[in-house]
Amino acid sequence: MRFSYNKLWKLLIDRDIKKKELGEMANVSATTIAKLGNGGNVNTKALLEICNALHCDIGDIMEFVPDDEPTDKASSNAHKEAEI
């Protein structure tokens, strides 16, 4: 079981926001943004700050993914585009 932040990367693309800009908007570190990029664990305060900065709900930026579900290639590509 894990959390996926693919929804966050798609939201950033849709709003034309770069990861660095998100970090500045939400006042979260580059390390936290990198952890999100790797699907790592982050502090709930950081998630709250991101939701506040983007004016969205937690379900708009992340979702629970069972271990047996394959990775969505399209969502993975969206994540890579957000890095640019």
Side-chain angles (χ1 to χ4, degrees):
M1 297 182 287
R2 63 185 173 85
F3 286 107
S4 169
Y5 300 102
N6 289 337
K7 287 183 170 185
L8 172 61
W9 311 129
K10 177 155 181 10
L11 185 64
L12 293 182
I13 290 169
D14 291 345
R15 295 187 184 182
D16 195 29
I17 299 172
K18 306 287 186 233
K19 288 182 178 182
K20 183 176 179 179
E21 292 174 275
L22 174 63
E24 293 167 358
M25 290 169 56
N27 196 27
V28 295
S29 70
T31 302
T32 297
I33 300 294
K35 285 181 183 180
L36 290 168
N38 293 321
N41 294 321
V42 296
N43 190 311
T44 54
K45 183 179 185 302
L47 296 173
L48 176 67
E49 294 295 335
I50 290 169
C51 287
N52 189 45
L54 296 175
H55 306 289
C56 67
D57 189 70
I58 192 74
D60 296 328
I61 65 167
M62 63 185 286
E63 65 184 334
F64 170 77
V65 179
D67 286 333
D68 59 340
E69 185 172 314
T71 304
D72 180 8
K73 189 173 183 176
S75 296
S76 180
N77 289 339
H79 165 82
K80 291 176 183 175
E81 290 176 17
E83 292 178 354
I84 298 175

